[in-house]
Coordinates of all heavy atoms in Angstrom, one line a residue:
A30 N 2.3 -14.3 -139.1 CA 1.2 -14.1 -138.2 C 0.3 -15.3 -138.0 O -0.4 -15.5 -137.0 CB 0.4 -12.9 -138.6
W31 N 0.3 -16.2 -139.0 CA -0.6 -17.3 -139.0 C 0.0 -18.5 -138.3 O -0.6 -19.5 -138.1 CB -1.0 -17.7 -140.4 CG -1.8 -16.7 -141.1 CD1 -1.3 -15.7 -142.1 CD2 -3.1 -16.3 -140.9 NE1 -2.3 -14.9 -142.4 CE2 -3.5 -15.3 -141.7 CE3 -4.1 -16.9 -140.1 CZ2 -4.7 -14.7 -141.7 CZ3 -5.4 -16.3 -140.1 CH2 -5.7 -15.2 -140.9
T32 N 1.3 -18.4 -138.0 CA 2.0 -19.5 -137.3 C 1.4 -19.5 -135.8 O 1.4 -18.5 -135.2 CB 3.5 -19.2 -137.2 OG1 4.0 -19.1 -138.6 CG2 4.2 -20.4 -136.6
M33 N 1.0 -20.8 -135.3 CA 0.5 -20.9 -134.0 C 1.5 -20.4 -133.0 O 2.7 -20.7 -133.2 CB 0.1 -22.3 -133.8 CG -1.1 -22.8 -134.6 SD -1.6 -24.4 -134.2 CE -0.3 -25.4 -134.9
P34 N 1.1 -19.7 -132.0 CA 2.0 -19.2 -131.0 C 3.0 -20.3 -130.4 O 4.2 -20.0 -130.3 CB 1.1 -18.6 -129.9 CG -0.2 -18.3 -130.6 CD -0.3 -19.3 -131.7
Q35 N 2.5 -21.4 -130.1 CA 3.3 -22.4 -129.6 C 4.4 -23.0 -130.6 O 5.3 -23.7 -130.2 CB 2.5 -23.6 -128.9 CG 1.8 -24.5 -130.0 CD 0.4 -24.0 -130.3 OE1 0.1 -22.8 -130.1 NE2 -0.5 -24.8 -130.8
E36 N 4.2 -22.7 -131.8 CA 5.1 -23.1 -132.9 C 6.1 -22.1 -133.3 O 7.1 -22.5 -134.0 CB 4.3 -23.6 -134.1 CG 3.3 -24.7 -133.9 CD 4.0 -26.0 -133.4 OE1 5.1 -26.3 -134.0 OE2 3.4 -26.8 -132.6
R37 N 5.9 -20.9 -132.9 CA 6.8 -19.8 -133.4 C 8.3 -20.0 -133.0 O 9.2 -19.7 -133.8 CB 6.3 -18.5 -132.9 CG 5.0 -18.2 -133.6 CD 4.6 -16.7 -133.2 NE 3.3 -16.6 -133.9 CZ 2.3 -15.8 -133.4 NH1 2.4 -15.2 -132.3 NH2 1.2 -15.8 -134.1
Y38 N 8.6 -20.5 -131.8 CA 10.0 -20.7 -131.4 C 10.7 -21.7 -132.4 O 11.9 -21.7 -132.5 CB 10.1 -21.1 -130.0 CG 11.6 -21.3 -129.6 CD1 12.4 -20.2 -129.5 CD2 12.1 -22.5 -129.4 CE1 13.8 -20.3 -129.2 CE2 13.4 -22.7 -129.2 CZ 14.2 -21.6 -129.0 OH 15.6 -21.7 -128.7
N39 N 9.9 -22.6 -132.9 CA 10.5 -23.6 -133.8 C 11.3 -23.0 -135.0 O 12.4 -23.4 -135.3 CB 9.5 -24.6 -134.4 CG 8.9 -25.5 -133.3 OD1 9.5 -25.7 -132.3 ND2 7.7 -25.9 -133.5
A40 N 10.7 -21.9 -135.6 CA 11.4 -21.3 -136.7 C 12.7 -20.6 -136.2 O 13.7 -20.7 -136.9 CB 10.4 -20.2 -137.3
T41 N 12.7 -20.0 -135.0 CA 13.9 -19.4 -134.5 C 14.9 -20.5 -134.2 O 16.1 -20.3 -134.6 CB 13.5 -18.7 -133.1 OG1 12.5 -17.7 -133.4 CG2 14.8 -18.0 -132.5
W42 N 14.5 -21.6 -133.6 CA 15.4 -22.7 -133.3 C 16.0 -23.2 -134.6 O 17.2 -23.5 -134.7 CB 14.6 -23.8 -132.6 CG 15.5 -24.9 -132.1 CD1 16.1 -25.0 -130.8 CD2 15.9 -26.1 -132.8 NE1 16.8 -26.2 -130.7 CE2 16.7 -26.8 -131.9 CE3 15.6 -26.6 -134.1 CZ2 17.2 -28.1 -132.3 CZ3 16.1 -27.8 -134.5 CH2 16.9 -28.5 -133.6
I43 N 15.2 -23.4 -135.7 CA 15.7 -23.9 -136.9 C 16.7 -23.0 -137.6 O 17.8 -23.4 -138.0 CB 14.5 -24.2 -137.9 CG1 13.7 -25.4 -137.4 CG2 15.0 -24.3 -139.3 CD1 12.4 -25.5 -138.1
R44 N 16.4 -21.7 -137.5 CA 17.4 -20.7 -138.1 C 18.7 -20.7 -137.2 O 19.8 -20.7 -137.8 CB 16.8 -19.3 -138.1 CG 15.9 -19.1 -139.2 CD 15.4 -17.6 -139.3 NE 14.7 -17.1 -138.2 CZ 13.4 -17.1 -138.1 NH1 12.7 -17.3 -139.2 NH2 12.8 -16.6 -137.0
E45 N 18.6 -20.6 -135.9 CA 19.7 -20.6 -135.1 C 20.6 -21.8 -135.2 O 21.9 -21.6 -135.2 CB 19.3 -20.5 -133.6 CG 18.8 -19.1 -133.2 CD 18.3 -19.1 -131.8 OE1 18.2 -20.1 -131.1 OE2 18.0 -18.0 -131.4
R46 N 20.1 -22.9 -135.4 CA 20.9 -24.1 -135.6 C 21.4 -24.4 -137.0 O 22.2 -25.3 -137.3 CB 20.1 -25.4 -135.1 CG 19.5 -25.3 -133.7 CD 20.5 -25.5 -132.7 NE 20.1 -25.5 -131.3 CZ 19.4 -24.6 -130.6 NH1 19.0 -23.5 -131.2 NH2 19.2 -24.7 -129.4
G47 N 20.9 -23.6 -137.9 CA 21.3 -23.7 -139.3 C 20.8 -25.0 -139.9 O 21.5 -25.5 -140.8
V48 N 19.7 -25.5 -139.5 CA 19.2 -26.8 -140.0 C 18.0 -26.6 -141.0 O 17.4 -27.5 -141.5 CB 18.8 -27.8 -138.9 CG1 20.0 -28.2 -138.1 CG2 17.7 -27.2 -138.0
G49 N 17.7 -25.4 -141.3 CA 16.5 -25.1 -142.2 C 16.3 -23.6 -142.4 O 17.0 -22.8 -141.8
L50 N 15.3 -23.3 -143.1 CA 14.9 -21.9 -143.4 C 13.5 -21.7 -143.0 O 12.6 -22.6 -143.1 CB 15.1 -21.6 -144.9 CG 16.5 -21.9 -145.5 CD1 16.5 -21.9 -147.0 CD2 17.4 -20.8 -144.9
A51 N 13.2 -20.5 -142.7 CA 11.8 -20.0 -142.3 C 11.4 -18.9 -143.3 O 12.2 -18.0 -143.6 CB 11.7 -19.5 -140.9

Side-chain angles (χ1 to χ4, degrees):
W31 296 102
T32 305
M33 293 183 287
Q35 69 270 21
E36 299 295 326
R37 291 187 181 145
Y38 179 72
N39 293 336
T41 302
W42 187 91
I43 288 165
R44 281 191 296 263
E45 287 175 351
R46 306 285 181 302
V48 296
L50 300 168

